[in-house]
Amino acid sequence: SGLDAGWFERMETTFGLALDAFVRSLKGENLSYPTLADGLRAQLVAEAAVQSLKTGVPVKVENWQPEQFVSL
C-alpha cells in the first residue's frame, strides 16, 4: 500500500533535524540520540493506544524496564 499521501510533508521538519544532527556528528560534535530502550517504550505506548482504540477502554501502561524483555 505504500506511504500515506502527505507523509513527507508531515516528516519534513523531523527529517531535516535528523540530517542536521547526522552532519554535526560527522564533524565530531557529541550528540545524544534516543536509545533502543526509548524506542521500545514508544512501541509499548503505541501498542497500548491501538488496543485502547480497538476496545474503547483505557489501557494502562506499566512503568516498564527494558531489562525485563531484552538484554541491552
Side-chain angles (χ1 to χ4, degrees), residues 33-46:
Y33 293 95
T35 65
L36 174 59
D38 295 327
L40 292 172
R41 286 184 182 102
Q43 182 65 37
L44 182 68
V45 170

Side-chain angles (χ1 to χ4, degrees), residues 10-20:
R10 291 193 312 273
M11 301 304 292
E12 186 173 8
T13 300
T14 304
F15 181 80
L17 292 171
L19 184 57
D20 179 63

